[in-house]
Amino acid sequence: MTDPLRLYVDAQFTSPYAMSVFVALHEKKLPFDMVTVDLAALEHRGTGFSDFSLTQRVPTLRHGDFALSESSAITEYLDEVFPGTALYPSEPRSKARARQLQAWLRSDLMPIRQERATDVVFYRPSGTPLSAAAQASARTLFDFAEALLPADAENLFGEWSIADVDLALMLNRLVLNGDAVPPRLAAYAGRQWQRPSVQQWVRQARPAI
Ligand SMILES: N[C@@H](CCC(=O)N[C@@H](CS)C(=O)NCC(=O)O)C(=O)O
């Protein structure tokens, strides 16, 4: 009997990082329970959560007496510890590329992340046009994705990987808002969005905001 798994996520279910870990747990078919943290009420700063979450951020995963945050560190941990669907490619260069993509999506593209917060994906679109800076970020995103996604491919690296979900979410900030996205990339993001593990997150009951 393995140690229990508990995933801490934001109360609105809008964190793209929490979504990535949630999808990973579902892909691995691991039983886990999920606890919501009210970030607006600063629950993550209070005693309780901050006692075990070193970064005081969601997602944080508890696996028995081990607690880990930073979504890509969590998904790498899950892939090393548990069998089942692989979350990362096994070939070293593809695996490195998947990690590069994850790190880049989490650290760059700030204008898109600000002007197309994930509320536009999980709640309602924004009526404000993209700024010049966000349009420039979008072009960089499209160039990266076009270079990485082989013609007629379902996934970036042959088999599905968690990087597909992260890229699809970034593209869908634009697609689902009605912003212009190259059709091939929009179609890829749409297909990735239909994955049952992704739909489980999309269909979470969200509080009104
Ligand atoms: N790089 C982190 C980012 C995590 C993150 O930014 N989480 C946000 C929610 S989307 C959070 O907990 N914000 C609360 C705060 O920073 O005070 C990851 O990949 O897990």
Side-chain angles (χ1 to χ4, degrees):
M1 176 85 175
T2 177
D3 286 330
L5 288 158
R6 173 167 290 177
L7 177 63
Y8 293 79
V9 304
D10 63 305
Q12 277 76 36
F13 305 100
T14 54
S15 167
Y17 319 111
M19 172 178 158
S20 191
V21 175
F22 175 95
V23 167
L25 287 162
H26 275 282
E27 290 291 338
K28 289 280 185 194
K29 298 192 172 27
L30 293 167
F32 65 98
D33 65 11
M34 192 157 62
V35 175
T36 57
V37 179
D38 187 343
L39 301 178
L42 299 181
E43 244 178 56
H44 55 307
R45 301 284 178 205
T47 50
F49 189 70
S50 66
D51 293 342
F52 59 83
S53 176
L54 290 176
T55 57
Q56 301 182 13
R57 286 187 169 200
V58 296
T60 293
L61 181 78
R62 290 182 93 169
H63 182 204
D65 60 7
F66 179 60
L68 188 65
S69 49
E70 287 299 320
S71 53
S72 59
I74 299 171
T75 50
E76 288 196 38
Y77 173 74
L78 292 174
D79 220 18
E80 280 172 21
V81 170
F82 294 104
T85 305
L87 302 175
Y88 291 89
S90 55
E91 192 278 315
R93 292 187 179 184
S94 296
K95 185 172 190 171
R97 190 69 77 206
R99 288 166 160 162
Q100 177 193 15
L101 176 60
Q102 284 196 301
W104 184 66
L105 292 171
R106 283 158 175 71
S107 62
D108 205 325
L109 307 173
M110 196 45 102
I112 300 178
R113 285 154 64 200
Q114 281 170 345
E115 294 176 34
R116 295 296 181 257
T118 49
D119 293 7
V120 309
V121 173
F122 299 115
Y123 278 95
R124 68 187 75 87
S126 156
T128 312
L130 291 174
S131 67
Q135 288 178 34
S137 261
R139 281 193 295 276
T140 313
L141 171 65
F142 301 153
D143 287 349
F144 194 140
E146 290 277 18
L148 221 52
L149 184 65
D152 302 323
E154 284 286 307
N155 306 309
L156 294 170
F157 305 109
E159 294 296 308
W160 173 89
S161 80
I162 196 67
D164 285 299
V165 173
D166 291 346
L167 178 59
L169 185 279
M170 185 60 80
L171 289 167
N172 272 337
R173 292 174 188 253
L174 302 169
V175 176
L176 298 176
N177 201 66
D179 299 305
V181 174
R184 185 172 92 89
L185 298 180
Y188 159 80
R191 283 194 306 272
Q192 292 293 336
W193 216 239
Q194 292 316 310
R195 207 169 168 87
S197 55
V198 174
Q199 281 296 307
Q200 289 231 34
W201 177 265
V202 172
R203 294 202 183 115
Q204 291 295 316
R206 293 184 168 77
I209 52 166

